[in-house]
Amino acid sequence: MALLISSTTNIGDLYMMDVASRDVRRLTKINDDLFSKLNITEPAMIWYNSFDGKRIQTWVQRPPDFRKARNIP
């Protein structure tokens, strides 16, 4: 089975999975050179209550050197 696997910090590559054994093998490394030069953080999921009481899910992409003690615009 052919798979395209992506994550929040990787655009994605092509993989092959053996259906019987479920072994997955990566076939491409298209963006490895680019991502080796970047410092991308995992996004954080945050839930909050809106003015009408509904829960709202948001995602925050913080800078690589983020510290809670520091204010960032």
Side-chain angles (χ1 to χ4, degrees):
M1 175 184 303
L3 308 165
L4 179 63
I5 300 176
S6 295
S7 72
T8 55
T9 58
N10 188 343
I11 294 171
D13 280 296
L14 186 61
Y15 291 76
M16 184 67 77
M17 182 175 84
D18 181 301
V19 178
S21 67
R22 296 190 181 240
D23 289 332
V24 177
R25 183 171 52 104
R26 186 175 178 182
L27 301 176
T28 63
K29 296 182 179 189
I30 296 169
N31 292 301
D32 278 3
D33 186 48
L34 171 65
F35 283 108
S36 71
K37 297 172 184 148
L38 301 175
N39 187 4
I40 300 175
T41 60
E42 291 285 333
M45 180 177 54
I46 298 174
W47 288 89
Y48 69 94
N49 293 324
S50 71
F51 68 94
D52 61 357
K54 292 182 180 173
R55 293 201 16 100
I56 297 180
Q57 178 187 28
T58 63
W59 293 89
V60 176
Q61 188 77 36
R62 294 187 173 104
D65 59 348
F66 175 76
R67 287 176 298 207
K68 288 184 179 183
R70 219 173 82 198
N71 285 334
I72 297 176

